[in-house]
């Protein structure tokens, strides 16, 4: 059994080593193609493992560039993208490999389900990459893929640079009245004997002022800086959209949306639009009532930079709930250990901390055990810092599989968040939203780490349809509101007192506060993304499309300077292009499964055990549609999504 790999990256030699590995892989491919009697074991398996080994070499660089971003990591990462993209594009367009896969799929009689799925996905991927097309077209597709990867990286780097570059300095104590003490301590600094406060566009800092800052002009200034970040991304968006449209047409699809759906659960464009617009219609009446209530609280016309501030005031008034009072019960390590305890009770898994040294002193790792056997390793990097990309994500590093020599490799995954930083004097105290985020990313990590699949290409999160991949993360995040679960970790960081029942009741009651408005916001993103990829939009047409969607979805009209799309990294620098709808699509599955577990009392739930053995254990070896039917014995019920959000129809 192989050991867990290290996140070691030699930046000085990385490009040379990458070129060497690509060259060796190309030679190996030529050798494999010379085999006369090709089988799964002598051809498909070695090819799949080559891909895995190259990914394990590249992932640490990608990871370090995200969490410890420097000019050097930017340079090496940018230089490596064309090499990786050219190699993977050529591989995915190799007609001889494509033909060999089709022959093996047709002729080999003893393939198991996992092997069949690997071949089905590979054959589909070859067809979606243009393996069957003429050489001139394949060359153009390769050029497009390389340029797309460069542009996506540039988009992401522009957002990070703009986020890191901005700060707003406050010198008047009156302008920070009402800001929670823990946030003030993070913002406070001394300069020339004067106490000042620094607020930035990093999430913990930005949210703190937008939620609690009384000075409307400062809120607007911060908001304006946030929604006008990276204006140079406007040109990148145009070029990316044009390239995606051209690529789709070369591959025989009318649009990038149609191309994207070829590998997803949703059957066609109409199904997606109907799904999203039905949710929009069902949510609007309640959303209007929510905004009216917010408007009455503000006693003035509401602006986009007001909503977080007045929402917090209304929340306090309506539910007698003060978010800041909860943070003392959500100390980072207490939440983490309590989440581990919950997972032990739900699935029977345990976590043991390692003494491994990692890329930052605030990063750490745990070994995951199932039935006293080592199953996987989990890496965590949870606190915000300047060199780190914003947001939260899970990245898979190693995959559970059996290699070409019969050796087993265990899985490992990385969770990255941007929680308030801890110091010698101040612990990292989380908002409840942060707790939900941690549970969400842990859901992704479990999906990868608890796989029992032996074929790496369909193990863990690999091979799972994109519009189903959020199912396990959303399923787990819902438990962050359950009273039995909260009591496992919500203890006062100083007194160790367990959070009072009254506070839990208020939190649960407030769970769906402004939920219909939040639903409209997510639907706005989803509809914009999907429609943006149904035809070619350029220049002002992108903003005009967004504005037309906002006519139906935005009950508070954003200011004209709001260029949200220039920071929409999910679709322009991530994998969610024409797929942002998948959050809601998967939420139908997660809500349905979640309520079934809750109805069985959570701990000791038979559905939870089946979920572990069917969904988490089997990764991408079967379509999620089939796995869900096996889990629940029926089709998913969309009404449970509305129930989860407290929306009545």
């Amino acid at each position: 059994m192989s050991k867990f790999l290290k996140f070691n990256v030699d930046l000085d030699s990385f490009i040379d080593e990458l070129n060497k590995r690509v060259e060796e892989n190309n030679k190996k491919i030529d050798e494999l193609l010379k085999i006369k009697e090709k089988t799964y074991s002598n051809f498909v398996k070695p090819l799949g493992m080559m891909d895995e080994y190259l990914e394990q070499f590249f992932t640490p660089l990608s990871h370090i560039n995200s969490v410890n971003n420097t000019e050097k990591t930017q340079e090496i990462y940018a230089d490596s993208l064309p090499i990786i993209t050219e190699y993977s594009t050529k591989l995915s367009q190799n007609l001889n490999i494509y033909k060999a896969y089709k022959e093996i799929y047709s002729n080999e009689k003893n393939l198991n389900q996992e092997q069949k799925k690997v071949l089905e996905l590979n054959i589909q991927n070859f067809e979606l990459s243009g393996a069957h097309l003429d050489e001139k077209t394949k060359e153009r597709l390769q050029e497009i893929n390389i340029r797309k990867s460069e542009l996506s990286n540039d988009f992401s780097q522009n957002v990070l640079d703009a986020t890191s570059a901005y700060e707003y300095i406050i010198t008047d104590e009156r302008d920070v009245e009402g800001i929670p003490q823990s946030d003030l301590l993070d913002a406070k600094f001394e300069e020339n004997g004067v106490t000042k406060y620094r607020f930035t566009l990093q999430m913990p800092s930005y949210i703190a002022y937008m939620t609690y800052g009384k000075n409307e002009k400062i809120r607007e200034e911060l908001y304006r800086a946030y929604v006008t970040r990276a204006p140079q991304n406007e040109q990148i968006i145009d070029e990316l959209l044009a390239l995606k449209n051209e690529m789709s047409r070369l591959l025989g699809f009318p649009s990038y949306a149609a191309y994207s759906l070829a590998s997803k659960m949703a059957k066609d464009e109409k199904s997606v639009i109907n799904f999203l617009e039905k949710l929009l219609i069902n949510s609007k009446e309640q959303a209007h009532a929510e905004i009216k209530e917010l408007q009455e609280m503000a006693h003035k016309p509401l602006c986009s930079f007001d909503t977080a501030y007045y929402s917090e005031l209304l929340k306090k008034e309506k539910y007698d709930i003060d978010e800041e009072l909860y943070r003392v019960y959500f100390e980072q390590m207490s939440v983490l250990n309590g989440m581990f305890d919950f997972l032990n009770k739900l699935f029977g898994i345990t976590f043991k901390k390692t003494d491994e040294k990692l890329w930052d002193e605030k990063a750490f790792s745990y070994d995951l055990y199932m039935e006293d056997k080592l199953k996987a390793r989990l890496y965590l990097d949870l606190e915000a810092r300047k060199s780190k990309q914003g947001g939260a994500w899970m990245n898979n590093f190693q995959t559970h599989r059996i290699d070409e020599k019969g050796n087993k490799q265990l899985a490992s995954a990385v969770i990255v968040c941007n929680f308030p930083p801890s110091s010698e004097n101040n612990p990292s105290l989380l908002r409840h939203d942060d707790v939900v985020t941690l549970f969400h990313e842990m859901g992704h990590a479990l999906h990868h780490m608890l796989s029992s699949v032996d074929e790496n290409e369909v193990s863990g999160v690999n091979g799972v349809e994109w519009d189903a991949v959020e199912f396990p993360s959303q399923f787990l995040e819902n438990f962050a509101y359950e009273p039995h679960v909260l009591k496992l970790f919500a203890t006062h960081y100083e007194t160790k007192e367990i959070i009072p029942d009254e506070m839990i009741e208020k939190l649960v009651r407030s769970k769906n506060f402004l939920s219909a408005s939040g639903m409209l916001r997510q639907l706005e993103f989803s509809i914009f993304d999907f429609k943006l990829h149904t035809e070619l939009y350029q220049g002002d047409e992108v903003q005009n499309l967004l504005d037309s969607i906002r006519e139906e979805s935005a009950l508070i009209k954003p200011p004209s300077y709001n260029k949200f799309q220039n920071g929409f990294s999910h679709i322009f620098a991530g994998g969610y292009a024409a797929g942002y709808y998948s959050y809601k699509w998967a939420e139908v599955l997660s809500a349905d499964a979640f309520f079934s577990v809750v109805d069985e009392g959570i701990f000791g739930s038979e559905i939870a055990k089946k979920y572990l053995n069917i969904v988490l254990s089997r990764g991408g070896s079967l379509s999620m549609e089939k796995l869900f039917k096996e889990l629940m014995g029926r089709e998913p019920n969309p009404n449970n999504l509305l129930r989860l959000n407290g929306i009545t129809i």
Side-chain angles (χ1 to χ4, degrees), residues 96-160:
N96 292 322
I97 299 176
Y98 171 57
K99 287 177 178 176
Y101 277 177
K102 291 187 80 171
E103 285 172 13
I104 292 167
Y105 187 72
S106 299
N107 299 332
E108 197 164 330
K109 303 302 179 189
N110 297 319
L111 296 170
N112 62 34
Q113 173 55 42
E114 294 176 11
Q115 293 167 338
K116 285 179 183 176
K117 186 67 174 181
V118 168
L119 284 165
E120 287 166 3
L121 285 175
N122 271 294
I123 290 166
Q124 182 186 58
N125 288 339
F126 272 106
E127 290 169 354
L128 292 176
S129 299
H132 55 299
L133 301 175
D134 62 83
E135 287 305 314
K136 187 179 178 182
T137 305
K138 287 200 278 193
E139 280 178 23
R140 179 56 188 151
L141 286 169
Q142 182 172 313
E143 290 170 3
I144 290 172
N145 283 331
I146 291 172
R147 184 61 181 151
K148 274 170 54 201
S149 70
E150 291 171 347
L151 290 168
S152 294
N153 181 51
D154 290 346
F155 187 101
S156 179
Q157 192 64 50
N158 289 340
V159 173
L160 176 59

Side-chain angles (χ1 to χ4, degrees), residues 339-395:
M339 181 177 67
F340 289 160
D341 190 15
F342 161 62
L343 294 172
N344 176 259
K345 294 177 187 299
L346 192 68
F347 297 132
I349 58 178
T350 55
F351 293 83
K352 294 181 182 177
K353 196 169 185 183
T354 76
D355 57 2
E356 185 178 12
K357 284 197 171 183
L358 298 172
W359 53 89
D360 189 271
E361 61 180 12
K362 296 286 185 73
F364 43 92
S365 62
Y366 287 81
D367 282 339
L368 187 164
Y369 290 83
M370 179 178 273
E371 297 176 347
D372 296 324
K373 288 183 180 178
L374 181 63
K375 178 72 176 170
R377 178 164 290 182
L378 174 67
Y379 300 90
L380 300 113
D381 186 348
L382 301 179
E383 298 185 15
R385 56 180 174 271
K386 202 162 187 178
S387 61
K388 193 175 179 183
Q389 285 184 7
W393 64 89
M394 186 286 295
N395 199 5

Side-chain angles (χ1 to χ4, degrees), residues 36 123 157 165 178 221 227 354 387 414 417 446 474 527 622:
K36 289 186 178 179
I123 290 166
Q157 192 64 50
E221 176 59 35
V227 300
T354 76
S387 61
V414 192
C417 298
L446 290 178
Q474 293 167 340
I527 295 169
L622 269 177

Side-chain angles (χ1 to χ4, degrees), residues 390-438:
W393 64 89
M394 186 286 295
N395 199 5
N396 47 302
F397 183 24
Q398 291 175 241
T399 300
H400 179 279
R401 45 79 170 160
I402 304 293
D403 69 16
E404 67 272 46
K405 296 175 183 175
N407 300 315
K408 181 187 284 189
Q409 175 184 263
L410 300 181
S412 64
V414 192
I415 291 177
V416 180
C417 298
N418 275 274
F419 297 153
S422 59
S423 66
E424 282 186 25
N425 301 320
N426 299 302
S428 175
L429 301 180
L430 310 187
R431 295 177 174 82
H432 188 259
D433 282 350
D434 296 328
V435 177
V436 173
T437 295
L438 182 60

Side-chain angles (χ1 to χ4, degrees), residues 24-25 53 63 79 106 141 151 155 190 257 276 296 306 324 342 352 394 542 544 547 555 574-575 649:
E24 288 173 352
N25 277 10
Y53 297 138
H63 172 72
D79 288 348
S106 299
L141 286 169
L151 290 168
F155 187 101
E190 298 283 331
L276 295 172
E296 289 167 357
D306 292 323
E324 186 59 18
F342 161 62
K352 294 181 182 177
M394 186 286 295
V542 175
N544 293 340
D547 290 343
L555 303 186
I649 54 172

Side-chain angles (χ1 to χ4, degrees), residues 55-75:
E55 192 173 315
Q56 288 174 352
F57 174 71
F58 184 72
T59 296
L61 172 67
S62 174
H63 172 72
I64 295 299
N65 189 51
S66 297
V67 297
N68 272 344
N69 187 275
T70 65
E71 286 186 11
K72 183 79 170 174
T73 66
Q74 291 172 34
E75 178 191 344

